[in-house]
Amino acid sequence: MAFNKDKSEAAKSIFTSSVTGLANVAAFAAAFLATPAIYGLSSEWMNDFTAKNYGPEWSDITDPIWFVVIALTTFFVARASISTVLVMGGLAIAARFF
């Protein structure tokens, strides 16, 4: 019995690490592709907001920071979404076969 339990836990560990790795790669690809578009749509608004509220000299400072914020947000939202979909899909497939 203990052997089967260890085997089951090892399979879960491999599945979990594979899902994590796949989610990270897919999220990186999504962030790489989507960040410039999102940044392009929001950069002018962010510069106007910064200039109105903090002064125009801050726009040069906040512009690269805004790009990093967009990239990280895109990455983490994509990773959370993709990993959830993969886990639910894996559970659905496992439930169908077992």
Side-chain angles (χ1 to χ4, degrees):
M1 277 299 206
F3 178 72
N4 286 339
K5 184 177 180 185
D6 292 340
K7 195 174 178 182
S8 174
E9 287 179 17
K12 287 179 185 177
S13 175
I14 291 171
F15 176 75
T16 303
S17 64
S18 296
V19 166
T20 302
L22 183 59
N24 285 334
V25 170
F28 177 79
F32 181 79
L33 296 171
T35 297
I38 298 169
Y39 175 76
L41 292 171
S42 63
S43 177
E44 186 177 335
W45 172 83
M46 187 59 174
N47 285 334
D48 290 344
F49 177 84
T50 302
K52 285 180 191 174
N53 293 294
Y54 300 105
E57 64 276 359
W58 284 94
S59 293
D60 291 338
I61 296 169
T62 58
D63 204 40
I65 294 170
W66 184 245
F67 184 83
V68 171
V69 167
I70 294 295
L72 291 175
T73 302
T74 304
F75 174 79
F76 286 113
V77 167
R79 187 173 72 170
S81 302
I82 292 166
S83 62
T84 301
V85 166
L86 289 173
V87 168
M88 292 301 162
L91 292 174
I93 291 170
R96 181 170 283 245
F97 289 115
F98 297 108

